[in-house]
Amino acid sequence: PGQPLTVHVRMASQPGVGGALSTLWVGSAEALTPGWRARSLLQADLVAFSRGSYLVLGVCALALWLPRRRQRGEAVFLLFFLMSLCHLLATLQYLVDTEGFGLADDWFSWLTLAGSLGSALCAFHVLCLVQRRARPRTGRVLAAYVGAVALLTLPLWSLPHAGMLPLLRLTLLPPSLVVLAVALGGAWRQRDWASGLLAGWMALSIPVGLHDLALQSYRLSIEHIYLTPYLYVGVFTLFLLIAFTRYNRALSTAERANATLGERLAAQARDLAETHQRLRAAEHEQTLMAERQRMTREMHDGVGS
């Protein structure tokens, strides 16, 4: 009280794109802090917690893959780790604090773009493994596209990343459409709830991506929440759920196979026991017959003498 008051307002802006100003909230710290904490939780904290937990799971998957990397069918663990790492890079902009990462803006935006492209490529290969259907040609074309975009957008070529960022985000559309087509095709063939749910969730990537692109270009109110990180959380969770379901199904199949094998072994054991008894009975009869023949010969020889 009695002192001049100064209000500091930060305006979000990008050169060549535009700018925006959020609503000004006036009140005591006690009244404004809960809303600020809720916004921070939705915009940054939940993203950081989910990325950290999935990265830990990815490191565990990598630890499982290393001793079994030469075995067939174990590549899903490596893909899981790579996908968690790419998701972390793709969501770096939600994890920046006031101190930053010490990276230039162009390299920072390139890392997020490369992470998004890499996550789409990993998701494609994970879908192929989950659906048990190899698509080598599509995989090579997608890998070539991702590599070419990542190479051409390197900051070494002095591209104006700040002004081109919305355009660079559009390069994510082709791999996203490929992954979506693979997910929809798998859901149509398999006709199970897990594949259908995964395909439906991935279909949300198109409107969610357009929403975030419009938000980044200041076409929407900047008080909206970026939704792409939560889309990643959903896709990652569905991959885990499908893997867990398939694992339980494989265990049930193995248990049924073991039970069937046990029944067959028991039946074979009973057959062997019966066969053994018949052989012993036949051997006993043969012994008696041989003894009768010997006695008959001796009696015949005695009478003859």
Side-chain angles (χ1 to χ4, degrees):
Q3 299 293 329
L5 301 179
T6 303
V7 179
H8 298 273
V9 179
R10 178 183 179 272
M11 180 177 179
S13 63
Q14 291 186 38
V17 178
L21 189 65
S22 65
T23 302
L24 299 181
W25 298 86
V26 181
S28 63
E30 292 78 8
L32 298 181
T33 298
W36 172 77
R37 291 191 182 278
R39 171 75 185 205
S40 299
L41 179 66
L42 290 175
Q43 188 67 64
D45 295 341
L46 283 180
V47 179
F49 295 153
S50 62
R51 294 281 75 79
S53 59
Y54 282 137
L55 184 61
V56 170
L57 291 176
V59 172
C60 294
L62 179 64
L64 290 174
W65 174 77
L66 285 176
R68 298 184 292 181
R69 59 184 179 274
R70 299 184 182 277
Q71 298 180 12
R72 186 177 181 181
E74 300 297 328
V76 65
F77 294 106
L78 177 62
L79 286 174
F80 194 84
F81 165 72
L82 293 177
M83 189 163 60
S84 65
L85 184 61
C86 289
H87 280 182
L88 177 64
L89 294 177
T91 54
L92 279 179
Q93 63 266 32
Y94 306 102
L95 310 178
V96 180
D97 54 13
T98 55
E99 298 179 359
F101 291 140
L103 289 175
D105 289 343
D106 52 356
W107 280 103
F108 185 85
S109 62
W110 181 83
L111 278 178
T112 60
L113 177 65
S116 300
L117 291 170
S119 63
L121 182 61
C122 292
F124 167 79
H125 287 290
V126 171
L127 277 174
C128 292
L129 290 176
V130 168
Q131 298 174 1
R132 296 183 178 90
R133 185 172 182 179
R135 299 175 178 86
R137 293 182 179 178
T138 307
R140 287 193 292 268
V141 171
L142 188 60
Y145 174 83
V146 169
V149 172
L151 181 63
L152 292 175
T153 56
L154 274 173
L156 298 175
W157 321 129
S158 301
L159 294 175
H161 273 253
M164 292 179 58
L165 195 56
L167 180 61
L168 294 177
R169 294 299 178 189
L170 291 177
T171 59
L172 300 175
L173 189 59
S176 300
L177 291 176
V178 172
V179 173
L180 177 59
V182 172
L184 291 175
W188 178 259
R189 284 188 304 271
Q190 297 180 355
R191 306 289 180 88
D192 57 354
W193 67 269
S195 300
L197 185 60
L198 181 61
W201 191 265
M202 284 188 169
L204 293 176
S205 62
I206 304 301
V208 165
L210 293 176
H211 169 272
D212 288 357
L213 184 63
L215 181 57
Q216 191 179 48
S217 304
Y218 305 111
R219 304 296 181 183
L220 297 175
S221 171
I222 63 171
E223 295 182 13
H224 286 205
I225 299 293
Y226 285 99
L227 301 177
T228 300
Y230 296 103
L231 186 70
Y232 284 156
V233 170
V235 170
F236 224 90
T237 304
L238 286 175
F239 274 134
L240 285 175
L241 181 60
I242 291 175
F244 181 72
T245 303
R246 298 285 173 87
Y247 179 72
N248 282 340
R249 189 181 304 169
L251 285 181
S252 300
T253 304
E255 289 177 357
R256 289 195 300 268
N258 289 333
T260 304
L261 181 61
E263 293 176 358
R264 292 180 179 177
L265 289 176
Q268 290 180 358
R270 290 193 298 268
D271 293 341
L272 288 175
E274 293 176 358
T275 303
H276 181 65
Q277 290 178 358
R278 288 196 297 269
L279 287 176
R280 291 189 61 184
E283 184 180 359
H284 182 66
E285 290 293 335
Q286 187 176 6
T287 302
L288 290 177
M289 185 178 297
E291 185 64 20
R292 292 192 190 101
Q293 291 176 355
R294 185 186 64 79
M295 293 177 64
T296 301
R297 285 195 303 269
E298 290 180 353
M299 290 175 62
H300 181 269
D301 293 342
V303 172
S305 300

